Amino acid sequence: VPPALECPGGSDAWQDVTVDRSSRLCQTQRNPCNSSEQLAWPCPENSVCAPDGPGLVQCRCEGPFHGYRCLREDTFPMLLFGGILGAATVSLSLLLWGTQRRKAKSP
C-alpha cells in the first residue's frame, strides 16, 4: 500500500505494519473474534463470531436458529418461501406476457 494510505481495516487489524519511504506493508491479519478488546457489535445469543476481512466480523447463527439476531428456532421455511416466490413470479410473468402480447399484435 502507498505510505500515505492506511492498511485495509486500519492499523489495529494487523499485527505487523512496516512503513518505509515507498510503501506500507501490512502483515499477519489479526482475528477480531479472539481479541481481548470489546467488539463494536458483539454477536447475539445463538451465534458465533467469524472473521470477515481486516477488522470486520460476521455473526453466524448456530444450530437450528436463523433470522434477525438468530432469534428464530427451527429450520428456514424453504418450501413456503419458494412457493410464494414462484407463484408471484409466474403470476407477474403471465400478466406482463398478456399485456405485451396485445400490444405486439396491434398494427
Side-chain angles (χ1 to χ4, degrees):
V1 181
L5 299 178
E6 278 291 317
C7 294
S11 294
D12 294 338
W14 303 90
Q15 286 182 355
D16 300 318
V17 178
T18 309
V19 181
D20 62 21
R21 62 177 179 252
S22 64
S23 67
R24 177 184 305 261
L25 185 61
C26 310
Q27 294 179 312
T28 316
Q29 183 178 330
R30 288 185 179 159
N31 184 350
C33 295
N34 294 339
S35 70
S36 60
E37 302 169 15
Q38 185 170 346
L39 297 173
W41 294 290
C43 292
E45 274 185 67
N46 310 318
S47 67
V48 293
C49 180
D52 195 29
L56 301 173
V57 297
Q58 181 181 55
C59 297
R60 295 183 181 172
C61 297
E62 284 186 316
F65 294 95
H66 65 90
Y68 176 69
R69 298 187 60 88
C70 304
L71 294 176
R72 295 179 185 237
E73 193 172 2
D74 203 8
T75 58
F76 184 76
M78 188 62 77
L79 188 60
L80 178 65
F81 177 77
I84 292 172
L85 182 63
T89 302
V90 167
S91 299
L92 187 59
S93 296
L94 288 173
L95 176 71
L96 291 173
W97 177 75
T99 57
Q100 298 304 313
R101 184 175 165 93
R102 273 190 269 152
K103 288 182 182 179
K105 283 187 175 182
S106 61

